[in-house]
Amino acid sequence: KDTDGNALAANKVWSFTTGSTVCANPNPPGTDPASCAGPGPVDLGTAASFGVLVGPAGGATFTITNPTSVTGDTGAASYVPASGVSTLVGTKYTGVDALYVSAKADMLTAIGCAEARTCDFNYAVVTDFGTVAVAPGVHCVTAAMSVSTPLTINTPGVYIFRSTGALTSAVNVPVAYGGTANAANTSIFWVPTGAATLAANTTFLGTIMPGSSAAITLGANTTVTDGRLLSNSDVTVNTNTIAIP
């Protein structure tokens, strides 16, 4: 019948053959062009559920020097656990687990998207963001970056801190929300080309995802909240607390 309910004048037979090819999603997680370009948060795809994600660089290891708390999934090809008991509020993935394989790919895509975004603020020298009144946007440092003095995020929005060098923090230095910014309206991403090393007793905000095969190391008693440790290399923790948003 047609759309008005009228019957066909004569019967008609259609023949077709189905193929075996499955059509892929043209924009899998983390690859949508609009998401890549911004200005919204970087799309982490299936990596978003991970508090710690290690790999896929060959031999990359998640080393837990002393018992640590992770709220979120963990994924690594190789784990070196602490002698004590760590707390994991999430699922532990290894090897060929499907979600781990997917998350690793989405992590690399997300890093590429963060690296490709247009810079809103440029810094030509080594920069301590604790000395900068930062605003939402993409902050690009043509050198190393650090948080060596307290950093307060006051304005809601998306912050991407990107450098051609390493990311470091000083002992006992906090990164905290202030003003009207909070976990519900603010997203923070740290994308160094070099290694990310946070000193002891640091309180840090945001997702750390080095842009190359660079390691992430946390000092003793350091906390990373509303963020993640996503690395294409080794991750080492030591009596830490890591919690996804």
Side-chain angles (χ1 to χ4, degrees), residues 68 169 171 196-202 216-224 236-241:
T68 286
S169 75
V171 175
T197 305
L198 304 187
N201 303 311
T202 298
I216 300 174
T217 304
L218 302 190
N221 304 308
T222 283
T223 297
V224 176
T236 302
V237 297
N238 180 9
T239 323
N240 303 124
T241 298

Side-chain angles (χ1 to χ4, degrees), residues 44 50-51 151 153 159-161 167 175-177 183 186-191 196 198 203-209 216 218 223-230 241-245:
L44 300 176
F50 285 79
L151 169 61
I153 304 294
Y159 295 76
I160 298 176
F161 298 99
L167 165 65
V175 177
Y177 294 121
T186 303
S187 297
I188 304 169
F189 301 89
W190 301 87
V191 191
L198 304 187
T203 303
F204 213 74
L205 293 174
T207 294
I208 302 172
M209 45 185 199
I216 300 174
L218 302 190
T223 297
V224 176
T225 55
D226 297 329
R228 307 160 183 83
L229 308 181
L230 308 180
T241 298
I242 299 124
I244 65 176

Side-chain angles (χ1 to χ4, degrees), residues 60-168:
T61 301
F62 179 24
T63 301
I64 307 171
T65 305
N66 283 301
T68 286
S69 172
V70 180
T71 300
D73 297 332
T74 61
S78 175
Y79 288 79
V80 178
S83 56
V85 178
S86 292
T87 301
L88 171 61
V89 183
T91 303
K92 177 181 176 181
Y93 293 93
T94 59
V96 296
D97 290 336
L99 184 58
Y100 174 52
V101 173
S102 172
K104 289 189 296 181
D106 286 350
M107 171 185 72
L108 295 180
T109 299
I111 291 171
C113 283
E115 291 180 321
R117 289 204 182 182
T118 301
C119 300
D120 298 303
F121 308 94
N122 291 280
Y123 310 83
V125 296
V126 174
T127 300
D128 170 14
F129 279 108
T131 65
V132 179
V134 296
V138 182
H139 297 257
C140 301
V141 184
T142 312
M145 61 181 172
S146 71
V147 182
S148 298
T149 50
L151 169 61
T152 302
I153 304 294
N154 289 303
T155 305
V158 176
Y159 295 76
I160 298 176
F161 298 99
R162 201 168 76 209
S163 71
T164 60
L167 165 65
T168 57

Side-chain angles (χ1 to χ4, degrees), residues 20-34:
S20 59
T21 302
V22 177
C23 294
N25 181 351
N27 291 313
T31 65
D32 177 67

